[in-house]
Amino acid sequence: MASAKDDAVTLDIDGHEVRVSHPGKVVFPAPGLTKLDLVEYYLAVAEGALRGAGDRPMVLKRFVKGIDKEPFFQKRVPENHPDFIHTATLRYASGTSAEEAVVQDAAGLAWIANLGCLDLNPHAVRAGDLDHPDELRIDLDPMPGVDWQQIVDVAFVARDVLTDVGLVGWPKTSGSRGIHILVRLHPEWDFAAVRLAAQTLARDVENRTPGLASAHWWKEERGESVFVDFNQNAKDRTVASAYSVRALPDARVSTPLEWDELRTRRPEEFTVPTVLVRVAERGDAHAGIDDAPGSLAALLTLAEELGPPERAPRGAGGAGSGDGRRTSTMPLIEIARAATKQEALAGLDAWKARHPGVVAHLSPADVLVDGMRGSSSLWYRIRVNLQHVPEADRPQQGPLEVDYDPWAGRAAGR
């Protein structure tokens, strides 16, 4: 390790030099983890992290202002990237394209971490074949009010569905509140087929667990259920991969598990320090994932048997906006649109203070907090479902508590 002119250090990683700027900068104050600590973490878990994110084009999610600030998303690889960072050009239905970073080795992980990327966000394709995913991703996303046990119950039902169609699922914590189940595929189907297969699995899980799981696209229709999020299999989506560090105060990690661990372990147990010990003692729980690719044929046959799925929304406007998007049957009002989640929640608090009688009728799942992907960052929308409020007591849609325009300054027709 050699010192640079400033406070940077240069690491020699398998013959590649990686410069780490501001290595002593504290990224996670509670556990006292520095930027160099995070780089060294990724080097220690490199085998498993590369199993999840290696050889895949990756969106760079950069927390350059700290974990309590919104990250920005960088699809295009920086022009001055080192030779050991490969690239792949993804083309989207919108007609746009992006030359994205492809990490192949531990040095690449260290370079990504130095950019302020806490979690790794790879696409479901390999760099050598950008049109045929080799991974189906099942994202079990709990609605507010759902406890861990319910998520686990739904995970085991999803495993049953996978077993019935001849596929093998590999579970991991999401690093937040949910569970991801990864399924390796033979890369023989395009994105549309993989997404349809994922939606079919979600519908079958919902059919087997009425009230516990939901495959409904529309958030307000899910209730206190676990959403089996098939949308993560669209071409433009990425998911935090195995061993990703999440931007939570305890430096929580998206951690591969064995199936028999799901009922006894909890997401908060898996942090940077504890995962380092876990990997050193037992290795990667997903070590065999690449040895178990499967076929989508049975799921696609099931899709035909279930009939047409719920249609995707069209357009980007709100309900009833005239842009072709369906109008919700639920009594929804919008509370806030904000650049940050903190600002959006402050708007919600202000609205609640004026409507205490309404708040008394709301269940946790009636407050809908949506992180909306902008061109390079997230913005936040909050809506309230008044379904449990007596009709005579329901407030009308009023001015937004926070009225942020994420498209301000952009050309019309965005």
Side-chain angles (χ1 to χ4, degrees):
M1 180 186 296
S3 297
K5 290 183 179 180
D6 55 16
D7 65 342
V9 297
T10 299
L11 306 180
D12 186 330
I13 305 171
D14 299 328
H16 299 299
E17 290 190 349
V18 180
R19 182 178 183 271
V20 180
S21 60
H22 309 296
K25 177 183 178 181
V26 177
V27 181
F28 289 93
L33 295 174
T34 66
K35 188 176 182 182
L36 183 59
D37 290 331
L38 292 175
V39 171
E40 292 177 339
Y41 160 80
Y42 274 114
L43 294 178
V45 301
E47 181 180 351
L50 290 169
R51 190 171 283 118
D55 195 36
R56 300 180 184 277
M58 180 185 302
V59 173
L60 305 179
K61 183 180 176 183
R62 301 179 64 179
F63 289 85
V64 295
K65 296 181 179 180
I67 63 171
D68 58 341
K69 305 297 182 182
E70 295 299 320
F72 74 90
F73 295 87
Q74 183 175 343
K75 286 186 176 181
R76 290 170 177 80
V77 64
E79 291 185 3
N80 60 344
H81 63 272
D83 292 342
F84 56 81
I85 295 294
H86 296 200
T87 66
T89 300
L90 272 71
R91 304 186 186 280
Y92 298 99
S94 63
T96 62
S97 64
E99 185 181 9
E100 298 188 7
V102 178
V103 171
Q104 301 282 12
D105 52 27
L109 292 174
W111 183 80
I112 291 288
N114 180 59
L115 292 178
C117 298
L118 300 181
D119 50 357
L120 310 174
N121 288 269
H123 290 274
V125 291
R126 303 282 183 175
D129 185 350
L130 300 177
D131 297 317
H132 300 94
D134 73 333
E135 185 170 86
L136 182 147
R137 296 166 171 179
I138 304 166
D139 182 4
L140 303 183
D141 185 12
M143 292 291 288
V146 172
D147 62 21
W148 177 250
Q149 187 56 56
Q150 183 173 334
I151 308 169
V152 171
D153 288 343
V154 173
F156 276 94
V157 174
R159 185 178 72 163
D160 290 342
V161 175
L162 290 171
T163 299
D164 289 348
V165 296
L167 294 171
V168 179
W170 300 78
K172 69 181 182 71
T173 63
S174 70
S176 182
R177 297 181 59 236
I179 293 172
H180 295 160
I181 304 173
L182 307 178
V183 181
R184 282 290 192 267
L185 303 173
H186 297 295
E188 299 172 359
W189 294 269
D190 61 15
F191 277 95
V194 174
R195 185 186 174 283
L196 174 60
Q199 187 172 18
T200 301
L201 180 141
R203 294 171 69 191
D204 198 16
V205 170
E206 180 184 44
N207 291 340
R208 298 187 190 201
T209 58
L212 293 183
S214 174
H216 285 281
W217 187 295
W218 309 101
K219 197 170 186 177
E220 67 270 19
E221 296 178 355
R222 298 173 194 162
E224 293 186 7
S225 67
V226 177
F227 177 43
V228 186
D229 190 356
F230 52 88
N231 300 310
Q232 302 295 8
N233 294 276
K235 185 174 185 177
D236 61 344
R237 295 296 185 93
T238 60
V239 175
S241 59
Y243 298 102
S244 286
V245 182
R246 309 308 301 272
L248 295 175
D250 58 359
R252 199 169 299 186
V253 171
S254 179
T255 307
L257 300 177
E258 303 284 355
W259 278 102
D260 60 8
E261 294 182 283
L262 277 184
R263 295 200 183 278
T264 59
R265 307 302 296 270
R266 295 293 184 272
E268 59 270 20
E269 297 178 49
F270 303 105
T271 63
V272 166
T274 63
V275 169
L276 285 171
V277 174
R278 175 182 171 87
V279 171
E281 291 179 347
R282 59 164 298 162
D284 179 20
H286 284 187
I289 190 171
D290 290 321
D291 299 326
S295 168
L296 287 182
L299 265 180
L300 295 176
T301 297
L302 179 60
E304 296 179 0
E305 296 171 358
L306 293 180
E310 185 179 24
R311 295 187 64 183
R314 293 178 295 161
S321 64
D323 62 4
R325 186 173 181 176
R326 143 280 200 203
T327 300
S328 176
T329 59
M330 292 292 183
L332 297 176
I333 59 173
E334 190 169 3
I335 304 301
R337 294 186 179 191
T340 69
K341 189 173 184 179
Q342 183 178 5
E343 292 172 311
L345 292 175
L348 175 64
D349 288 341
W351 180 87
K352 285 182 173 180
R354 288 202 310 278
H355 300 282
V358 174
V359 173
H361 293 285
L362 300 178
S363 71
D366 288 335
V367 178
L368 309 173
V369 181
D370 302 308
M372 313 291 285
R373 181 70 67 88
S375 60
S376 62
S377 63
L378 290 174
W379 59 278
Y380 290 86
R381 176 183 66 179
I382 295 183
R383 297 170 296 158
V384 171
N385 188 347
L386 302 173
Q387 61 180 330
H388 296 120
V389 180
E391 191 167 353
D393 298 332
R394 294 174 182 171
Q396 297 298 308
Q397 177 67 59
L400 298 181
E401 299 289 342
V402 185
D403 195 359
Y404 166 72
D405 183 359
W407 301 285
R410 294 186 179 274
R414 59 192 176 274

